[in-house]
Structure formats: structure tokens, C-alpha cells
Amino acid sequence: MTVQERQRPSADPEAAPWWRQAVVYQVYPRSFADADGDGLGDLPGVVSRVDHLAELGVDAVWLSPFYPSALADGGYDVADYRNVDPRLGTLDDFDSMVEALHSHGIRIVVDIVPNHTSDLHAWFQDALAAGRGSAARERYIFREGKGADGAEPPTDWLSVFGGSAWERVPDGQWYLHNFAVEQPDLNWDHPEVRADFVRTLRFWSDRGVDGFRIDVAHMLTKDLTEPLPSRAELAELPFDGQHPLIDRDDVHEIYAEWRRVFNEYDPPRTAVAEAWVDPKRVPLYAHPDSLGQAFNFDLLQADFDAGEFREIVSDNLALAAASGSSSTWVLSNHDVVRHATRYGLPKLGAAQRGRGAVKQGSAWLLSGGTEPELDRVGGLRRARAATLFVLGLPGSAYLYQGEELGLHEVAEIPAAERQDPTFFRSQGEEIGRDGCRVPLPWSADLPGFGFGVGTPHLPQPAWFAASAADVQAKDPASTLSLYRRALELRHQWQTGETLEWLDTGRADVLRFRRPNGWEIVTNFGAEPFPLGDGKIAVSSSDISDGLVPAESTVWLAPIA
Ligand code: GLC
């Protein structure tokens, strides 16, 4: 089946653009499959596993950064935006990968990281060499320090990864880095910066890329008029489009230009914004004149709870409708503790929610995975139920590699082998994100569990054997079999982008119906729920006697 034949239906199956209700599978390429045996996943590795993706039934792959990088932040420190890291392959390998995916009807979305480059990017190296006051420094955000000899940073701002957001260079100036020291922020007031990213978008679009995921899309533009506010002053400012650093209205001028570029292509290239902003402002990013779609991270930050899930779904469907886009649903990605593990730990409670989903499970990770005790079986049961709930929702679902194997977060990574800058910048107070980035187990009995013949770049735990893809493929009750069956039915049954909630008489049971009669019932509670009539087509747990078991989801077939 080719990409053209695999258009996903919507309200009008013929007319809906492919992305509106797509299942997009995130590949973190350094940990997916290693074809050359150097311990690091690569692009030929992705090609070697295209059959897995096709059998799973995904519509698109989102590839996290594969560009040349010193890996100060897992590849989100890009040294060259229009090339492939030599350890991951070549541009020819990239083209072969696009061809392999497209020939299986799978689209490809690549990650664009526009807020910052790597410190090894030619522009930053030029800026260092050219010195203060040079044109090369204008592409970044350089300032003089404060205090005697300018030895204090220009402000007391903190980076997202911990520590100061400013770093001093040998001639005494400081540069801004909202993330790692090795990720200097670009100056988006500079016309060359704008022009270069347009060139990058065209470069990959011309190579057949179908869409883009835009990293920290809400942070590119900044108002750095002196005097700069202090951290305390910043904390008082509202996020109303005029904040000096976050979610500024003027960032949409950039995306309007990008949209014009995307629309030069047939079909138009798509984009999805990673924007950690007030929900009311998400539609600005998701609007068809802007990036066109935006991630909704609410479920990442929620407990496995009927009330929370229902509210999040209703709110986000309304937001998506307001923007003209479709909603997105995410339970796991490369930045957060895997959802099987989150749901196996004590509930968070509303008070602790926030971007801190990254932090959910952090106490458990800090204890090496011992405190509090992880309920591995219950966590996976709830994760399967949540996934089946999400896959029935209108809009697109973003899956993260390994969740189809029901993988838990890996806690047992020795400090000496950790890679995430969060761990180093916080002096070990935060463990960081390595535990969801451990190379995948493909085969129970092969070295590296079939990831590759070399030593994997992050250590795999022995318990990966039981979750290996080859073991699960043979087991009709496995999580892999559940994902395959669910995606197959989802493709067959996909329908208009709406739902109707049905009364269940129970606060811990949600039931909704899609326009064609497809029904999804999730029992978040401990007591079985009697289903009444209806033919169960797929279920996240063993089912008998017309009861939906505790912490389980079932799908009922649409009306024939
Ligand atoms: C995004 C990415 C994350 C990265 C950060 C800085 O949040 O998802 O992995 O560390 O941006 O680029």
C-alpha cells in the first residue's frame, strides 16, 4: 500500500487531510535499532524494522533528531540542520529510509529544533572566534555581565535543566541558554536566522518529508530590552503574549511564514507544535495559518482517573474545534516516565501537576526504582486501558517507541552511564529522562535483545527479555498484539472527529460513542462494570460474562 492509498478517513473520508486522525509513532533513533553494531541506533536500523511499524499499523513516524550532534541533550543540540549524524548514517540512508517508509504507506515527520543550536554549530563557533561586538555574535544572545569585571551573569535566570541560564565565554561576555550550556539560544530577530530555517524546512520537504515536529515552539522570540527583569520579576508577569521569554504573540509571524512554505507543497507539509503554554493559547499554534496542530500534554500529567480523563478530553476537543485543527493525545514520549510506570506509582494529585510530569516518578527513580514500590502488573493494566481509551478518541494519537511492548521505565541505570543533562545540571537531584530512552528489546535471546550486536549506549535490564517484540508477537494476549488489533480496527472504523458521552451511572466508568456507533468503555474503578448489549471487538484485559473488568477498556463495534 502506498502513502496515497492510505489516506485516513474523517467526517468526509475522501477529503480529510491525512494527519487529522493519524497514529504517529515516535522513533528516538539512537535507541530504536542499531544496524552497524556501534551501540547507537541508526537510520539503517529504522529501515530494518519498517516491517514492525507496518504490522503495528501506524500512519506516520516522527523521528527525533538524527542530525550531527555531540549529544549534550540526546540530539536536541543540533550542529548541522541539513545533514545526518555520521554515526546514524548518511543523507543517502535518509532517502532510503523515506522510501522504505513511504513504500509501506507510512509518512515521515522530522524534528526541527529552532530555539537553540548546538555550541558546535558553525554559527556559534564563528561567534566565539569573532569576539564581542561582531556580526557573528548577533545571531545569538550575547550580553555583558554584571558586577566587577562583568563576572556575574546578566540576570539570575535559571535554565530549564537547572543552573544559570547564562554561560561566560573566554573573552568575558555571556550567552543565553534556556536549556543545556551546549544549547545557545538563537536570536530570532535576526533575518539570517529566519532565512536559514526556511531553507532547512525546504531541504527536508524536498527530500520527501511529510511534516515537522517543532521543538519548544513557544520560546523562539524574546523581548530582551534593557533593563532585563530579574527572575522574581519574571515570575510576576502574566503569560499574555507579551511575556519577555515565553509564548509571545510575535512568534506566530515566524509560523505564518513557515505555513506559506508548507503550503507550497502538495500535499501541504504538516507541523505539530511542542508548546508548553496556557491551554487557552494552544489554538494560536494549532491554527491552520500557523503550525496547524499542537501537542496536548494534559494526559501526560494526569492520574489514571475517570474525572480527570473526561475533563481533559472535553476541554481539548473544544480547543481543537476552536483552532480548526484536530486534537492530539500523548501518554508517553522521550521526555517523561513511561505511562505503564506512572500508573504503577501512587497517584500524583492535582496539586503537583505541571510540566513536572517529567518529574512524575522522579522520587522512585532517585531511589533506584525501589521506593515507593512499583505495582508493575497494575501499572501495565492501567496503561493498556488508557491506551485503548486514547486510541478511540477523535484526533491523532502519538505513540512512543516501546509503549507497544508495554515497557516500564528503566530505573537501574548507574550514575556513570547516565546521559541526560538534567541529571548533571541538577547535581543528581533529578534523574532525568534516560530511563525511557533505553534501546528497545526486539528478541529475547539475542545480544542486546536484538537491538544490535554492540554494547547498547544505555544499559538494558534483564527483565527486557520478557517484553521482547518476538516473544509478544507470538502471544495473542500481549500488549503488542493489543496495539496491533486496536490500530487495525481504528483504521477500519475511523469516523467523524466527534464523540458523545453516554451515561454509565458510575463516576469511575466512562463511555463514549463515535458518530458511526463505535463505542469505547473504560472502567477506571475496582468493581466490574456490566456492559449490557454490544459485541466486544477488543479489550485491554481478559473479559467474561459481559462485564468490563476493573481498570480496563473495551471497544464495541460500530453499527453495521
Ligand atoms: C524539548 C524536547 C526535549 C529537549 C528540549 C530542548 O522539550 O522534547 O527532549 O531536551 O526540547 O531542546
Side-chain angles (χ1 to χ4, degrees), residues 279 296 298-299 302-303 305-320 327 329 350 353 389 393 499 501 507 509-510 512 524:
N296 138 35
D298 296 352
L299 286 177
D303 289 318
D305 177 273
E308 285 188 45
F309 269 52
R310 177 163 173 163
E311 194 182 322
I312 288 169
V313 169
S314 298
D315 289 353
N316 281 285
L317 290 177
L319 283 173
S327 194
W329 309 106
R353 234 157 272 139
F389 175 90
L393 290 170
L499 62 72
W501 294 106
V509 179
L510 297 184
F512 61 88
F524 289 81

Side-chain angles (χ1 to χ4, degrees), residues 28 62 73 76-77 111 113 115-116 161 179-180 183 213 215-216 274 276 333-335 355 420-421 433 437:
Y28 186 77
W62 148 29
D73 180 21
Y76 285 87
D77 46 322
D111 221 309
V113 189
N115 180 67
H116 41 263
F161 293 149
F179 292 87
Q183 292 169 302
R213 178 260 186 193
D215 191 67
V216 289
E274 185 213 21
W276 293 87
N333 67 27
H334 66 298
D335 287 332
R355 182 163 184 171
D420 188 355
R433 303 159 295 179
R437 301 176 178 184

Side-chain angles (χ1 to χ4, degrees), residues 26 38 49 57 68 82 112 141 190 252 255 295 305 309 352 365 382 391 407 427 431 442 541 555:
Q26 182 187 359
D38 66 353
R49 297 293 177 185
R82 295 184 287 273
I112 296 291
I141 299 166
H190 200 301
H252 297 288
Y255 302 140
F295 282 126
D305 177 273
F309 269 52
Q352 289 188 45
L365 283 170
R382 293 184 272 272
L391 288 174
L407 289 187
Q427 276 81 40
I431 285 286
W442 294 99
S541 302
W555 284 5

